Amino acid sequence: MDRKADIREFLISRRGKVSPEQAGILSYGDLRRVPGLRREEVAQLAGVSTDYYTRLERGSIRGASASVLEAVASALQLDEAERAHLMDLARTANSPSLRTPRRPTQQRVRPGVLRLLDGMTAVVALVQNGRADILTANMLGRALYAPVFDSAVSSGPDIPGRVPNQARYLFLDPGAGDFYPDWNAVAATTVAMLRSEAGRNPSDRALNELVGELTTRSGPFAALWARHDVRIHTTGTKRFHHPVAGDLSLQFETLHLPGDEGQTLFTFTAEPGSASENALAFLASWAASPPQPATTGGGGPRRIHRPGNALEYAAGKPQSTKDRIKT
């Protein structure tokens, strides 16, 4: 990824979102040639010269102090995620070693985390990295995300050990719009999270390859990527239309695993006494039973595979209890 271009386009896009009225600048009805603030207005609000801010906006951010970046962030009224992204862009611009492409190491989920997931029998739980790869999931997580795990496109090229990727499923599988009733919102959030990850880890070759693939193959992804939106995803509600359990509305929480950099634990629960709680209980019962054929809208019958637990999934095959402890 071109770091200078990322900085330039991010700052220009944020500047275009702030109106003079929002910034407390009187425009006196003058005709403005650009949306949002002018460069000189941002410079004035940040307390720097117009020439200096122009250099920053052109991508020459190396050497910029934290206080200057904070002043620019305040002038542009950046939120928490946008501020963090600007700092990440500056950090990687100032560290040449962080801009060198490298092949990422295999992200394995620790046995202790796998046992934790398997102990969460009434909760959907999965571990995901910053590229939106699902590294592992408990049985209920595998059941809920069965369309993603069973998708012919979510794992990408036929490479042994390739795990399902949420972004690839969202933008390349035609069934994603059925599985996610709020597809537009989910897609925008997913791209914003990938954009944040790209700011933190610009040398992640797998991420660069994923973005390149999706930009080439998906017009909606390319359009969302060009917006340079970023987001911190911590809690909220997500709706699903599951081919077996029907409609579910689940509350999710995220927990970053401090001992495993880049890995995040996602959990989903249902409101007590709700229809979604009943649907989730049915899904748990189905997950523990032999495989059942299911019909998806417009796609004809297809088999949704019975999920295994997190330890089995991590190893790629069923294991005995003794073998699981050794994983």
Side-chain angles (χ1 to χ4, degrees), residues 104-257:
T105 57
Q106 177 69 27
Q107 294 202 57
R108 297 187 181 278
V109 181
R110 288 183 293 111
V113 177
L114 297 175
R115 288 191 290 269
L116 174 65
L117 263 64
D118 283 339
M120 303 168 72
T121 56
V123 175
V124 172
L126 56 91
V127 175
Q128 187 170 298
N129 63 18
R131 295 188 299 272
D133 294 327
I134 303 179
L135 301 178
T136 191
N138 65 358
M139 185 177 291
L140 194 50
R142 290 266 293 169
L144 177 64
Y145 280 90
V148 181
F149 281 97
D150 294 339
S151 170
V153 301
S154 66
S155 296
D158 188 15
I159 299 176
R162 181 68 68 90
V163 296
N165 181 273
Q166 296 261 33
R168 190 176 280 113
Y169 171 76
L170 266 170
F171 291 98
L172 301 182
D173 193 310
D178 292 328
F179 182 54
Y180 291 113
D182 302 317
W183 185 91
N184 288 332
V186 174
T189 296
T190 299
V191 176
M193 292 173 67
L194 288 178
R195 178 61 83 173
S196 294
E197 180 67 13
R200 288 187 294 268
N201 298 300
S203 61
D204 187 333
R205 184 175 298 177
L207 175 60
N208 293 338
E209 291 172 352
L210 174 66
V211 171
E213 175 192 3
L214 295 180
T215 300
T216 301
R217 299 181 60 186
S218 170
F221 178 89
L224 288 169
W225 185 256
R227 283 163 46 174
H228 286 264
D229 291 337
V230 291
R231 188 168 302 178
I232 297 174
H233 212 39
T234 55
T235 185
T237 300
K238 184 173 288 187
R239 295 198 304 141
F240 303 87
H241 178 71
H242 194 274
V244 171
D247 294 324
L248 300 98
S249 179
L250 303 177
Q251 288 75 51
F252 67 86
E253 300 289 340
T254 62
L255 175 64
H256 295 291
L257 301 178

